Amino acid sequence: MTAIAGIVLAAGRARRMGRDKRLAEIDGVPMVVLAVRAALEAGLDPVVVVTGPEPLSVLPPDVVVVVNPAPERGMASSLALGTAALSADSAAAVVLLGDMPRVTASHVAALAAAYAPALGREIVVPVSGGRRGNPVLLGRRFFAEMQGLTGDKGARGLLFQYGDAVVEVEMDESVLIDVDTPEDLKALDGGS
């Protein structure tokens, strides 16, 4: 089987939430743990979690924790650090966002199943209702560019630049639902 890694981006400051949203519980589980579980249960290895300077004691021991000392530089800084931490045998990486609690292992596994570099499918993007969502899988050939990204747009530019390498996978609306505000949290069933 192709070695596909996971990068969970969880370094954001969550200004709109008013508290550490990574620890906000959905159905009794911290949101960041749900993202990590989706990666681990889908068989991604290694799973790298990029945090901010504040420690996250809720993470399981079987992840690689990378600290972004300056998350205010934007999401791309976390993506660059996470990519740099991948093992040499990682053929691709699924980039998960720590604030998307409805993404499950089945979503992640579907992305991995669609990855086929020999067929030119080196970037796999979930789509729901005609809208692109997250997480996104990127093949190894993009790792160097991922390490050089800046700003707060993540790898979005690579999807446009390498449109011929993109394959879209239809999924449910879970791939569009992120939590940025207390209202977003309340809108989820079981949110607290």
Side-chain angles (χ1 to χ4, degrees):
M1 181 181 155
T2 303
I4 298 178
I7 301 172
V8 179
L9 302 180
R13 298 224 180 238
R15 288 179 196 92
R16 290 181 285 172
M17 181 63 84
R19 63 181 171 122
D20 192 340
K21 70 178 177 180
R22 302 170 303 174
L23 300 177
E25 292 191 355
I26 307 294
D27 301 329
V29 181
M31 195 163 22
V32 67
V33 172
L34 292 172
V36 170
R37 276 188 194 167
L40 291 171
E41 290 173 7
L44 302 185
D45 186 34
V47 173
V48 176
V49 182
V50 183
T51 71
E54 310 83 15
L56 272 177
S57 61
V58 297
L59 297 175
D62 47 354
V63 299
V64 177
V65 176
V66 174
V67 175
N68 182 346
E72 65 275 3
R73 292 180 301 159
M75 184 189 306
S77 67
S78 291
L79 183 56
L81 288 167
T83 305
L86 296 178
S87 61
D89 65 345
S90 296
V94 178
V95 180
L96 299 99
L97 305 182
D99 66 355
M100 296 189 69
R102 295 297 184 220
V103 170
T104 66
S106 62
H107 295 105
V108 176
L111 296 175
Y115 175 64
L119 301 176
R121 299 190 305 217
E122 297 179 86
I123 299 176
V124 186
V125 182
V127 176
S128 180
R131 293 175 51 206
R132 286 182 171 177
N134 283 292
V136 173
L137 181 149
L138 296 111
R140 170 167 280 288
R141 86 162 159 129
F142 306 106
F143 287 5
E145 287 179 79
M146 290 163 65
Q147 290 180 55
L149 293 171
T150 59
D152 207 33
K153 298 220 186 307
R156 190 177 309 156
L158 295 177
L159 276 60
F160 294 107
Q161 184 178 351
Y162 298 102
D164 58 329
V166 174
V167 60
E168 295 181 339
V169 177
E170 188 66 35
M171 295 192 182
D172 63 50
E173 68 178 7
S174 298
V175 299
L176 303 176
I177 299 171
D178 65 345
V179 176
D180 291 321
T181 66
E183 294 74 27
D184 293 342
L185 188 59
K186 286 179 187 164
L188 292 174
D189 291 337
S192 59

